[in-house]
Amino acid sequence: MNVSWFSFPVGIAIGVALVAALYVMECEWGRRKWVIKMRSPRMSCWLIGLTVVACIIGGSLPYGTSSSYSSPFQTSIPFVTLLVALTAHLTLVIIHRIRTVNILKDWIFLATHVGLWLALFSGLVGAGDNKELRSIVGREKATTSAIDPNGRMASLPYSLRLKDFNITANPADGSPTQYSATVLIDDSPVEIAVNSPYSVGLSEDIYLMSFDAETNASYCVLMVERQPWKYPMLAGLSLLLLGAVAGGGRGLKN
């Protein structure tokens, strides 16, 4: 499945339409047996169990070639369909709960389920908006170009140039322990190290991927990762964690 088809605003429009359709379904046919089965705990167990199994299978599969930075299973039609089904199920459960239970008294349940729903929704809708670009940055001349996973050229809204490259060695045996680069972003120096990216904005981070070891680091390879839905997903995970902790604390108290 080509997730770029669901880039903004197509993805958000489909998501809103799905939520609206499920709301009408719950309001009009909420007491029908087939709707009750769709939002039942048994359905939750089946969907969550299948999702866990699918994630295990996907994690064991090899990643793509140099033109693909993720496993094809993550964007396969069966896996995406399973995530959509889980999101739709959660939507029905949340709508039914809001319509039938006092929200203030049931905030832990809602925090847990709304948090999981927001994380899933952000991952599904935002998949088409995520971008991974790689740029070869040299010392001599600044560059504003990068390459996407399909090998197409893309333009960056800022310039990049390598100023310095450092390798931190272990004093005991001289083996490298860390790689870091001083990069000029629009002539402003920033430090980027392995596993320590630099945030250009709220939804864009720059990672140090590799360097040219044969010519004393005359250039390095940077990955520019754009995730517009990163913070909504983090908000959902935070709500999920809050609900889980509060629910566990209430259980211990009782």
Side-chain angles (χ1 to χ4, degrees), residues 104-169:
L104 295 179
K105 293 182 179 180
D106 207 32
W107 72 268
I108 294 178
F109 177 91
L110 288 176
T112 304
H113 287 72
V114 170
L116 179 57
W117 180 90
L118 183 57
L120 284 171
F121 185 80
S122 299
L124 285 169
V125 176
D129 297 316
N130 292 343
K131 305 293 182 185
E132 285 187 0
L133 306 172
R134 301 202 179 192
S135 179
I136 299 176
V137 181
R139 296 176 182 265
E140 300 298 327
K141 185 179 178 181
T143 181
T144 59
S145 62
I147 302 174
D148 70 7
N150 296 315
R152 294 189 295 260
M153 295 297 296
S155 180
L156 299 175
Y158 44 80
S159 64
L160 297 171
R161 184 167 70 86
L162 179 62
K163 182 181 179 181
D164 195 14
F165 195 92
N166 299 302
I167 301 176
T168 304

Side-chain angles (χ1 to χ4, degrees), residues 122-241:
S122 299
L124 285 169
V125 176
D129 297 316
N130 292 343
K131 305 293 182 185
E132 285 187 0
L133 306 172
R134 301 202 179 192
S135 179
I136 299 176
V137 181
R139 296 176 182 265
E140 300 298 327
K141 185 179 178 181
T143 181
T144 59
S145 62
I147 302 174
D148 70 7
N150 296 315
R152 294 189 295 260
M153 295 297 296
S155 180
L156 299 175
Y158 44 80
S159 64
L160 297 171
R161 184 167 70 86
L162 179 62
K163 182 181 179 181
D164 195 14
F165 195 92
N166 299 302
I167 301 176
T168 304
N170 188 335
D173 56 9
S175 61
T177 58
Q178 179 61 290
Y179 301 94
S180 62
T182 302
V183 178
L184 297 177
I185 301 180
D186 285 338
D187 295 326
S188 298
V190 299
E191 295 293 328
I192 306 175
V194 174
N195 297 324
S196 181
Y198 175 78
S199 296
V200 181
L202 290 177
S203 60
E204 186 164 334
D205 299 314
I206 300 179
Y207 293 81
L208 176 61
M209 300 300 296
S210 62
F211 69 100
D212 182 21
E214 296 182 357
T215 60
N216 196 24
S218 62
Y219 68 85
C220 67
V221 179
L222 301 179
M223 182 179 74
V224 180
E225 186 176 63
R226 295 170 179 170
Q227 294 180 303
W229 289 81
K230 177 174 64 174
Y231 287 97
M233 181 178 291
L234 290 176
L237 293 175
S238 298
L239 270 177
L240 176 61
L241 180 61

